[in-house]
Amino acid sequence: MSDDDIILAELDDEALVQQMQDDLYDGLKEEIEEGTNIFLGRGWNAYDILTKALVEGMRIVGEDFRDGILFVPEVLLSANAMKAGMAILRPLLTETGAPKVGKMVIGTVKGDIHDIGKNLVGMMMEGAGFEVIDLGINNPVEDYLAAIEEHQPDILGMSALLTTTMPYMKVVIDELKQKGIREDIFVLVGGAPLNEEFGRAIGADAYCKDAAVAVETAKTLMKRKHNVAAS
């Protein structure tokens, strides 16, 4: 471990931001916790630590994941380190009412118990400044509807890894239409057996092939939503 000789507390702010981005890239959870606490001790507000060190760090991770430089196990380590920093910052962010990019409900569909991809999307979305409500695995349509009613999210994310559970996504979307709330929410779908054509066929707003694309798509949709609201 070559970082042993780096004493985080001795770095100036700029160098510490850079070091935290590197530590996040390397998935070093304890270093992220330490760096977060050092910044808080220096009087930084939680939102600045989140955006400048953590979100920016995860953006780089996301890009390298998209470009095939990093792979799922490495990204999960980074996301885990990010989570450790978020655990310290979340209560402070809530207090200050820091701006959220948007809110997302995410879950694996009924009959499917795969969650690595979904967890990755959830963590990356959180890293990009979204509030994420994770429903876990094996969700019937009622679970999605209840969560939408309770949390009023901007985005619903559904994931499936089995070809047999893919069609259930359409069941959920059809139910949203039935209830008259389909227009109120963006629906993103993802999972290994899916493709763009399938996403279109079931009436989703977008198919996201991986977590990095999910974050980019979600940000684009939220911008569009804000522009419409403003006009």
Side-chain angles (χ1 to χ4, degrees):
M1 178 106 164
S2 62
D3 278 351
D4 284 354
D5 48 356
I6 295 175
I7 297 169
L8 297 181
E10 291 180 359
L11 300 174
D12 65 24
D13 286 4
E14 199 177 327
L16 184 55
V17 164
Q18 191 56 58
Q19 187 57 44
M20 280 182 73
Q21 289 174 9
D22 292 349
D23 289 344
L24 199 54
Y25 195 91
D26 295 334
L28 304 177
K29 185 177 162 199
E30 284 166 16
E31 283 80 348
I32 291 299
E33 288 172 337
E34 189 187 339
T36 302
N37 284 321
I38 290 169
F39 271 134
L40 289 171
R42 290 181 185 178
W44 275 51
N45 70 47
Y47 184 66
D48 282 345
I49 302 168
L50 173 69
T51 50
K52 290 177 181 160
L54 299 180
V55 172
E56 182 54 25
M58 278 310 273
R59 187 186 66 74
I60 299 161
V61 169
E63 283 185 355
D64 280 4
F65 176 51
R66 184 192 62 205
D67 297 341
I69 298 163
L70 288 177
F71 299 98
V72 167
E74 295 155 312
V75 178
L76 281 173
L77 279 176
S78 295
N80 224 15
M82 165 91 195
K83 243 184 168 165
M86 280 296 294
I88 299 167
L89 296 176
R90 191 178 286 112
L92 302 168
L93 290 165
T94 315
E95 277 168 31
T96 55
K100 278 277 174 215
V101 181
K103 196 189 282 191
M104 178 186 210
V105 163
I106 190 170
T108 306
V109 295
K110 185 179 175 182
D112 208 313
I113 55 164
H114 295 88
D115 67 354
I116 289 180
K118 169 189 69 63
N119 293 350
L120 197 51
V121 170
M123 288 193 237
M124 296 275 286
M125 291 289 286
E126 202 159 62
F130 283 82
E131 184 184 337
V132 178
I133 297 100
D134 189 340
L135 305 180
I137 55 172
N138 193 21
N139 286 288
V141 67
E142 295 77 14
D143 290 6
Y144 290 112
L145 290 173
I148 289 168
E149 192 172 338
E150 182 184 345
H151 300 286
Q152 303 288 310
D154 305 290
I155 297 168
L156 171 65
M158 290 188 283
S159 133
L161 201 72
L162 305 171
T163 49
T164 49
T165 58
M166 283 165 56
Y168 197 78
M169 292 177 165
K170 186 173 187 308
V171 173
V172 177
I173 291 173
D174 287 348
E175 191 62 28
L176 295 178
K177 288 179 183 161
Q178 192 70 37
K179 292 261 187 288
I181 54 175
R182 175 65 188 92
E183 298 306 313
D184 305 337
I185 195 164
F186 294 120
V187 178
L188 304 184
V189 295
L194 280 66
N195 56 32
E196 263 178 57
E197 204 179 327
F198 175 79
R200 271 198 301 274
I202 61 168
D205 288 288
Y207 150 75
C208 305
K209 74 176 172 64
D210 60 38
V213 173
V215 170
E216 284 171 26
T217 306
K219 282 180 167 170
T220 305
L221 291 171
M222 290 309 298
K223 271 200 196 107
R224 195 188 304 165
K225 181 174 184 169
H226 293 316
N227 288 343
V228 169
S231 59

